[in-house]
Each structure stands twice: as structure tokens, then as C-alpha cells.
């Protein structure tokens, strides 16, 4: 039994699983320590992956060679592409998953990953060393001690503790230690880090009651079905779109439901001050909604199945930490749930996190060398955000150990780049959730082109396989060839007027190139191919996939917006190329405002571009830095 590894990953959640798989696949001998090997990447909250902006992150994870997209495809029970009525930058894939199968598939993946070893235990202490007699160098992590008394040594450690560090669960005025229902909290790690000088704080999240489907009146509530032609997350052909989808259901609260909930406000751990941690603004508890939107008479809720082989349903939108009996009484006032039985009550959970301004963009800590943080320990919320961080931490831990350049994605390259830059530059004052509005270059960061953007980068560092790169190259070639064909192929009014009138695009006054016709509203390549056989024959002969057709169409229709955004991104990129020396004394620049000097000294930005995004650093301050370091 080996006790020395290249990399140790602590925590078997979404961040830990991606970190461990990436590090091992890149070539590092990796140990993943998890408290319960039957719950890898457990869906502790809703049984779904993706959504607005989150779906883009999952496609990026897949494009980089991560596992989340593939495992989602294998366990999907319903798929929807959100925001189809909006522009392509807003399209966001989302999948309901079989919760138990998702975790089981992750275990199969991890157990069959070469160079990856698993250990079931709880890490209680991080081990550090510092060069003897050298107080100038930073300490570095050298291993982990576990609850079972086993000591593992490693050159790097990735900490992905989720909600387990000093976790405390609340239901009414009752509380119990735990990282989630049925799992113990983790003790000792926080103390190890505080002793090394890390700043720690508390956050809060919550989850709703789980319902027994046998006690739900489905005839009286509204079903919500998946897409008629579902897509999938992975760019690889190894997975297929879901078949035999299960429906979700819509239900609504009412004034009677709200009255029942208010009866428990005097015993709410949130309203009585028992809970001190900050909760997620964009995923509030039902009692928070009633207080914030006091004049609203109803709130929409979603009943989501947790799998094909279970009667358990998740009630999305009804997260609560009110007393158990209050939750039940309120639920039974909802139409369709009059006789509902619940498997378990909703609860809130408080846990330790470490403000992410203590990290470099590689997710390595600034205080301790070779120690990486990923996931909710950095103040984020959501499976997708956690998985993305885990993937990047695993990659960067391996690259550093092998003496290679770090892997950092810019804000104009990936949502993952936006996520990490926001965390380490701006910090968090509430659980961080990704939105399309956070990405200033979102027209460039679409879900459809994640592979074209990122797979070449992943192939260069060794995480994307040759086969994945070939598939990406083929898609790029097909897209370029199809656009070239559209540019050179002419059509007459007789060819397409019936189709154009059908979609309300107006008739042609004279012959046009297919490219120009495609620019019209409501016109699609599939529609053109259905009415212009020559185009259909070209697509069939060249074996152009539906995904490549969609990509070509988006590039044609949004060309002007894309080129404008690329120009703006290039201008901003110049600031990213102006480095600030590590350890620079900002207090020596008296022309900077006092606030800027304080913020810059705390955050320690690596470039002027990063400095420009720090709250409290004004454009005038950036001009001072530009003059000092040279334009």
C-alpha cells in the first residue's frame, strides 16, 4: 500500500472528482480521499446539471477533456436547451439526471482511471514544511493526516471540502453537525489553515424537502416536457441524446401556503440570528422569498424526479430551514400535494469557506506553495462551478509539479476564465453563481463553440486525446467548408420564394448567394436544404453533422457581433500583457488613491488587466499604473 503520491485530492464531490481525474489522466500519481465512496459527485441539492451559463461551463469542461458532460449524458432523464427564443449567446443546455446513476457512473470512471487511487476516510490535518532556517520562503504542503491516523505524503494537495468544513445543519431551532444530511462534518482542516494565516469565514446554503411520488396528485398539476429533439453535453460521439424522457411538473404556492410558512418565522434560524453565514441571493429559501417579495401572491415551483428507479422528487424553489411541521403544513396547501408524504425535511447548512482573494489564478494559495483550493471552499455554489474549479486545480497542480507553464484561461476565452478571475480578483460576499451577465464577452463564449475554443488548448497540455482533437478539427473544417459553400452558391427567387414566404422572410427580388439569404430572420440552413436540393446533397455528401450545421449558421448570422466583440477583447487583452512584478510596493506610488493602494496590496494582481477589475481601483488609478509600468 503506497502512502506517497504526486497529488492528493481531498473531497469526492464534483470539484474533487474532476481534479483527481484530470491530474491522473495527465500523468500524476493521484490519491482521492473521500468520506464515502458510494457518494462520489453526489447531487446534494437538485438532480440536474447545466442551466443558464452553467450549461456553457459544462460544455467547456467537456471540451477540455473533463468528465462531467459525458457522465451527465449517460444519466440524463430529461434534456432542455434553455433560452432558444433569445440569441445564441444565451442558449444554455440543462439536463435532469438520475441522481444515483450519476454518482455510480462517476465511481466507475474513477475506479477505472489509470494512476488514480481511492481512499475512504476523513482528512483532519494538512501537513506543512518550510525550508529550515529560511523565513523568507513560503511554507509548502507535504501531505495529509486522516481520522484513521494514516499519514499520506504528496508534492501537492487539492482541497475540495464542499460544505463539510465545520458543517452545521439547521431545521427550525434544531441543529446538528454534518456536511449534508446523513454525512458527518469535517473537523481539523480549518484549524490547520488558520494556523498558517488563512482568513476564514462562514457561508450558508439550503435544500428543500424530498417528496414521495406515491402521495402526489399528478393529474392536477402541469407537466413540463423535455425537448422533442434533445441534444447532449459531450462533444464526443461516445454518448447519445436521452431517450424516453421523464417529465417535470409545475406547481405554485398561494396565499394559504404563505400563511402557513409565516407561522414558523419566529422559529426560523435565519430570522432569529442563529444562522450567521451569508446565503445565495439567486437561490433563496422560500421564507426569504416571502420576506423579499412580500406583495407576491404566488411563486412557481418545479417538481423534478430524482431518477428512473425511485419515487423521490425534488421540489425546486422550496428550499427551507423552517421547522419540519411548518414545512409539511405549507406543502399540503399546494395544489396536488394535499396528501404529500416527505422522505426528509428541508434544511440549511452553514460551513467554512476561505475568501478566494487568497488564491492565484491557478487556484494555488498565495500563503502555501503547492496547495490548491477548488469548489465551495472558495465561496461558490453549484455543481458546475465546483467541477470547473476542480478541473483547473488538478491541471495546474500537475503542470507545476512537472515544471510547465500554468494553464490560465482569460475572460474572453471561457466562462471558466470569468469564474476564476471573478473569484481571485473581486472575492465574494455571498455564494457565487455564474450568470451570462458576468461574462462581458459572452457572444464569444457560446455553448456551441466550446470545443473550437478550448480543445486545442487541452490537447496542447495533454488532457484532450488525439481522437478528441481530430473530431474538433473535423468540425472546424466542416463549418468553414459549409460557410464557403454558402458564399459561392447562388439561388433564384424560384428556388426559395415559397420557403421565404412561409417563414415570413420576404421574397427575393433577384438572384442571391445562399449566405445572404441565411442572414434573413427565421431562415435556417435546415430550411434552405429542405427547399434547395443542391444544398441538401452537399451536406449529405460531405457528412456534415447537425452540430457543425448549427455552428456554421451561428457564425453567419452573428458575424458582425462576433467580430466587434473580438475587437474589444483584443483591446482589453493588451492590459493583460502588462505584468506587475510580484511583491511590488503600491504604497510607494502616492498618485494612487489610498483605497487603491490598500486593495492592490491585498489582492496582488498579476497584470494591469486584473488590477482594472478590482472593486475600488478606479480608471484614474489604472492610468497611474500604465504610466509607471509603461504603455
Amino acid at each position: 500500500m503506497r502512502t506517497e503520491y504526486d497529488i492528493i485530492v481531498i473531497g469526492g464531490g464534483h470539484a474533487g472528482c474532476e481534479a483527481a481525474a484530470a491530474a491522473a489522466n495527465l500523468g500524476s500519481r493521484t490519491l482521492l480521499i473521500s468520506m464515502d465512496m458510494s457518494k462520489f459527485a453526489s447531487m446534494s441539492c437538485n438532480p440536474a446539471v447545466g442551466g443558464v451559463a452553467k450549461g456553457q461551463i459544462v460544455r467547456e469542461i467537456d471540451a477540455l477533456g473533463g468528465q462531467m458532460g459525458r457522465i451527465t449524458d449517460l444519466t440524463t432523464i430529461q434534456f432542455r436547451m434553455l433560452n432558444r427564443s433569445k440569441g445564441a449567446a444565451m442558449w444554455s443546455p440543462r439536463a435532469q439526471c438520475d441522481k444515483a446513476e450519476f454518482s455510480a457512473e462517476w465511481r466507475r470512471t474513477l475506479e477505472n482511471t489509470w494512476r488514480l487511487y481511492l481512499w475512504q476516510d476523513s482528512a483532519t490535518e494538512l501537513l506543512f514544511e518550510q525550508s529550515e532556517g529560511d523565513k523568507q520562503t513560503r511554507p509548502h504542503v507535504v501531505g495529509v493526516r486522516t481520522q484513521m491516523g494514516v499519514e499520506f505524503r504528496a508534492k501537492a494537495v487539492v482541497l475540495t471540502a464542499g460544505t463539510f468544513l465545520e458543517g452545521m445543519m439547521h431545521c427550525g431551532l434544531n441543529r446538528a453537525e454534518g456536511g449534508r444530511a446523513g454525512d458527518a462534518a469535517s473537523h481539523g482542516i480549518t484549524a490547520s489553515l488558520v494556523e498558517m494565516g488563512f482568513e476564514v469565514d462562514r457561508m450558508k446554503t439550503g435544500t428543500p424537502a424530498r417528496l414521495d411520488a406515491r402521495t402526489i396528485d399528478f393529474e392536477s398539476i402541469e407537466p413540463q416536457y423535455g425537448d422533442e429533439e434533445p441534444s447532449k453535453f459531450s462533444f464526443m460521439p461516445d454518448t447519445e441524446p436521452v431517450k424516453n424522457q421523464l417529465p417535470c411538473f409545475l406547481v405554485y404556492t398561494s396565499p394559504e401556503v404563505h400563511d402557513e410558512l409565516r407561522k414558523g418565522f419566529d422559529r426560523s434560524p435565519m430570522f432569529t440570528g442563529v444562522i450567521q453565514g451569508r446565503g445565495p441571493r439567486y437561490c433563496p429559501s422560500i421564507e426569504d422569498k416571502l420576506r423579499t417579495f412580500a406583495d407576491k401572491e404566488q411563486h412557481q415551483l418545479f417538481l423534478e424526479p430524482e431518477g428512473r428507479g425511485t419515487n423521490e422528487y425534488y421540489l425546486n424553489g422550496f428550499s427551507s430551514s423552517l421547522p419540519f411541521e411548518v414545512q409539511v403544513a405549507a406543502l399540503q396547501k399546494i395544489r396536488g400535494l394535499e396528501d404529500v408524504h416527505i422522505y426528509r425535511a428541508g434544511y440549511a447548512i452553514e460551513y467554512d469557506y476561505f475568501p478566494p482573494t487568497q488564491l492565484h489564478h491557478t487556484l494555488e494559495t498565495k500563503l502555501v506553495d503547492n496547495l490548491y483550493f477548488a469548489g465551495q471552499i472558495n465561496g461558490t455554489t453549484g455543481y458546475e462551478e465546483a467541477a470547473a474549479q476542480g478541473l483547473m486545480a488538478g491541471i495546474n497542480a500537475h503542470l507545476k509539479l512537472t515544471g510547465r507553464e500554468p494553464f490560465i484561461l482569460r475572460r474572453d476565452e471561457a466562462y471558466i476564465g470569468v469564474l476564476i478571475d471573478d473569484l481571485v480578483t473581486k472575492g465574494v460576499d455571498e455564494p457565487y453563481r455564474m450568470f451570462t451577465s458576468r461574462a462581458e464577452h459572452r457572444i464569444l463564449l457560446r455553448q456551441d463553440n466550446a470545443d473550437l475554443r478550448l480543445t486545442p488548448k487541452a490537447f496542447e497540455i495533454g488532457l484532450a486525446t488525439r481522437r478528441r482533437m481530430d473530431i474538433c478539427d473535423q468540425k472546424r473544417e466542416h463549418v468553414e467548408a459549409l460557410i464557403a459553400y454558402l458564399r459561392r452558391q447562388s439561388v433564384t427567387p424560384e428556388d426559395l420564394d415559397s420557403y421565404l414566404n412561409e417563414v415570413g422572410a420576404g421574397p427575393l427580388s433577384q438572384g442571391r448567394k445562399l449566405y445572404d439569404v441565411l442572414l434573413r430572420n427565421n431562415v435556417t440552413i435546415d430550411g434552405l436544404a429542405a427547399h434547395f436540393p443542391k444544398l441538401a446533397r452537399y451536406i449529405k455528401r460531405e457528412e456534415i453533422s447537425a452540430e457543425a450545421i448549427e455552428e456554421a449558421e451561428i457564425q453567419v448570422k452573428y458575424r458582425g457581433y462576433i467580430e466587434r466583440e473580438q475587437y474589444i477583447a483584443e483591446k482589453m487583452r493588451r492590459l493583460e500583457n502588462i505584468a506587475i512584478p510580484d511583491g511590488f510596493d503600491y504604497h510607494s506610488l502616492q498618485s494612487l488613491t489610498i483605497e487603491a493602494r490598500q486593495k492592490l496590496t491585498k489582492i496582488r494582481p498579476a497584470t494591469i488587466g486584473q488590477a482594472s477589475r478590482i472593486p475600488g481601483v478606479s480608471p484614474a488609478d489604472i492610468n497611474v499604473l500604465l504610466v509607471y509600468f509603461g504603455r
Side-chain angles (χ1 to χ4, degrees):
M1 174 71 184
R2 171 184 294 270
T3 57
E4 293 187 4
Y5 296 86
D6 296 322
I7 297 172
I8 292 175
V9 178
I10 301 173
H14 299 270
C17 288
E18 289 287 0
N25 284 326
L26 282 168
S28 285
R29 189 177 292 273
T30 305
L31 177 69
L32 174 57
I33 301 175
S34 175
M35 295 171 69
D36 189 343
M37 286 172 51
S38 68
K39 295 180 179 177
F40 284 126
S42 176
M43 291 179 157
S44 306
C45 207
N46 65 317
V49 168
V52 176
K54 293 169 174 280
Q56 284 87 327
I57 289 177
V58 179
R59 296 217 92 191
E60 290 179 353
I61 290 170
D62 183 77
L64 289 168
Q67 303 298 318
M68 188 180 223
R70 181 185 65 85
I71 290 174
T72 298
D73 290 345
L74 293 173
T75 58
T76 294
I77 57 178
Q78 188 195 95
F79 185 95
R80 295 183 71 199
M81 184 66 77
L82 306 181
N83 291 334
R84 271 287 192 183
S85 61
K86 300 181 181 179
M90 304 296 288
W91 296 355
S92 302
R94 185 180 189 270
Q96 293 292 137
C97 294
D98 187 305
K99 180 177 179 176
E101 276 302 306
F102 186 90
S103 189
E105 189 59 46
W106 253 115
R107 177 164 182 165
R108 283 190 284 271
T109 297
L110 296 172
E111 286 186 337
N112 290 284
T113 297
W114 186 242
R115 290 181 293 267
L116 177 56
Y117 299 84
L118 308 177
W119 178 260
Q120 182 167 298
D121 203 346
S122 177
T124 56
E125 185 182 357
L126 294 173
L127 307 177
F128 306 102
E129 285 182 3
Q130 189 162 1
S131 300
E132 192 172 339
D134 187 358
K135 295 184 179 179
Q136 299 302 312
T137 61
R138 284 189 293 267
H140 55 277
V141 68
V142 295
V144 177
R145 187 172 290 119
T146 74
Q147 191 174 52
M148 299 295 289
V150 181
E151 191 173 295
F152 294 103
R153 309 287 286 191
K155 301 169 188 173
V157 172
V158 181
L159 181 57
T160 69
T163 60
F164 282 77
L165 295 183
E166 309 300 326
M168 183 68 68
M169 298 180 295
H170 301 264
C171 184
L173 299 182
N174 298 307
R175 61 180 187 168
E177 287 189 357
R180 62 174 166 241
D183 293 301
S186 174
H187 301 292
I189 295 292
T190 293
S192 290
L193 293 169
V194 170
E195 189 176 341
M196 297 303 294
F198 283 91
E199 177 189 349
V200 65
D201 208 338
R202 299 282 278 177
M203 275 194 178
K204 168 259 174 187
T205 188
T207 194
R210 304 306 199 271
L211 314 183
D212 184 344
R214 297 172 299 175
T215 60
I216 298 172
D217 179 11
F218 289 104
E219 295 297 322
S220 66
I221 57 180
E222 180 184 345
Q224 186 182 50
Y225 299 103
D227 291 348
E228 287 187 13
E229 296 183 15
S231 186
K232 64 192 188 82
F233 278 99
S234 181
F235 290 99
M236 298 295 281
D238 306 332
T239 61
E240 295 180 350
V242 60
K243 297 178 177 135
N244 304 317
Q245 299 185 72
L246 298 183
C248 295
F249 296 86
L250 292 175
V251 294
Y252 300 87
T253 64
S254 65
E256 292 74 25
V257 175
H258 300 173
D259 289 342
E260 290 293 338
L261 291 167
R262 291 190 181 98
K263 291 178 183 177
F265 279 13
D266 61 336
R267 290 169 287 158
S268 163
M270 289 173 52
F271 299 161
T272 57
V274 174
I275 292 177
Q276 298 295 318
R278 293 180 292 274
R281 182 191 315 179
Y282 302 104
C283 188
S285 65
I286 188 66
E287 53 265 38
D288 249 346
K289 290 180 186 177
L290 296 194
R291 186 172 62 175
T292 305
F293 308 103
D295 58 336
K296 198 164 185 180
E297 293 194 348
Q298 70 173 23
H299 293 279
Q300 188 179 67
L301 309 172
F302 296 89
L303 269 171
E304 301 174 346
E306 297 226 336
R308 294 188 186 277
T310 179
N311 287 321
E312 192 169 356
Y313 268 72
Y314 177 94
L315 186 56
N316 197 336
F318 205 83
S319 172
S320 179
S321 58
L322 290 171
F324 155 75
E325 64 275 13
V326 174
Q327 293 184 41
V328 174
L331 286 168
Q332 292 182 340
K333 294 290 184 180
I334 296 174
R335 182 181 179 186
L337 306 183
E338 291 85 355
D339 298 313
V340 75
H341 171 82
I342 69 173
Y343 286 127
R344 49 195 161 116
Y347 62 91
I349 181 167
E350 279 187 293
Y351 55 94
D352 287 346
Y353 84 100
F354 294 83
T357 51
Q358 301 173 97
L359 303 175
H360 297 292
H361 275 76
T362 58
L363 299 181
E364 183 182 18
T365 67
K366 295 175 180 177
L367 287 175
V368 176
D369 285 343
N370 297 342
L371 175 62
Y372 297 77
F373 290 173
Q376 285 179 280
I377 191 173
N378 289 337
T380 61
T381 181
Y383 311 143
E384 303 83 2
E385 291 89 342
Q389 293 171 72
L391 178 69
M392 297 299 285
I395 289 171
N396 279 305
H398 169 82
L399 292 177
K400 185 175 183 185
L401 295 186
T402 53
R404 297 168 64 187
E405 288 295 309
F407 186 62
I408 298 172
L409 294 170
R410 298 191 311 267
R411 296 180 70 92
D412 63 326
E413 290 180 318
Y415 270 91
I416 295 174
V418 175
L419 164 66
I420 293 175
D421 186 64
D422 278 353
L423 293 177
V424 305
T425 301
K426 302 175 183 178
V428 295
D429 55 11
E430 62 184 59
Y432 179 100
R433 178 181 179 181
M434 180 54 72
F435 291 100
T436 51
S437 58
R438 296 192 190 272
E440 61 271 36
H441 304 297
R442 55 187 170 273
I443 190 66
L444 304 179
L445 310 181
R446 307 181 310 276
Q447 59 84 30
D448 58 274
N449 71 347
D451 54 341
L452 303 180
R453 289 185 277 120
L454 300 177
T455 295
K457 296 178 182 296
F459 181 69
E460 187 176 335
I461 62 172
L463 189 56
T465 62
R466 175 76 259 180
R467 178 168 173 258
R468 179 181 287 274
M469 191 65 237
D470 288 343
I471 290 170
C472 178
D473 285 341
Q474 183 184 64
K475 174 181 171 181
R476 190 189 307 275
E477 291 165 6
H478 281 171
V479 169
E480 292 173 354
L482 179 54
I483 292 175
Y485 177 85
L486 296 173
R487 283 186 180 279
R488 67 174 181 266
Q489 180 61 55
S490 298
V491 289
T492 65
E494 291 74 22
D495 292 324
L496 291 176
D497 272 359
S498 63
Y499 168 61
L500 296 176
N501 288 329
E502 182 184 314
V503 297
L508 296 177
S509 58
Q510 59 186 27
R512 297 281 184 186
K513 300 296 185 184
L514 278 173
Y515 186 98
D516 298 322
V517 179
L518 182 58
L519 292 173
R520 298 188 175 201
N521 289 339
N522 303 322
V523 175
T524 66
I525 291 178
D526 286 340
L528 291 173
H531 292 79
F532 189 63
K534 190 179 288 187
L535 173 60
R537 287 194 296 271
Y538 173 82
I539 291 172
K540 184 177 181 180
R541 183 178 72 248
E542 299 298 322
E543 297 181 339
I544 299 177
S545 68
E547 194 165 86
I549 292 172
E550 180 182 78
E551 177 64 29
E553 186 172 307
I554 290 170
Q555 288 192 21
V556 170
K557 285 183 173 290
Y558 293 90
R559 179 188 171 195
Y561 298 102
I562 292 170
E563 289 180 347
R564 178 177 177 274
E565 203 59 61
Q566 287 170 336
Y567 172 74
I568 294 171
E570 180 57 38
K571 287 182 67 177
M572 294 300 298
R573 203 173 299 150
R574 296 169 196 165
L575 295 182
E576 303 296 341
N577 293 331
I578 304 176
I580 300 175
D582 188 27
F584 178 76
D585 181 12
Y586 292 99
H587 292 286
S588 66
L589 283 182
Q590 296 300 311
S591 351
L592 293 172
T593 63
I594 293 174
E595 182 181 9
R597 279 177 260 164
Q598 292 171 343
K599 293 287 182 69
L600 290 165
T601 299
K602 178 181 179 182
I603 303 297
R604 293 267 162 225
T607 67
I608 290 182
Q610 184 188 352
S612 71
R613 295 186 291 275
I614 298 174
V617 178
S618 69
D621 294 317
I622 295 303
N623 279 334
V624 171
L625 295 176
L626 282 170
V627 169
Y628 187 85
F629 291 109
R631 291 178 180 274

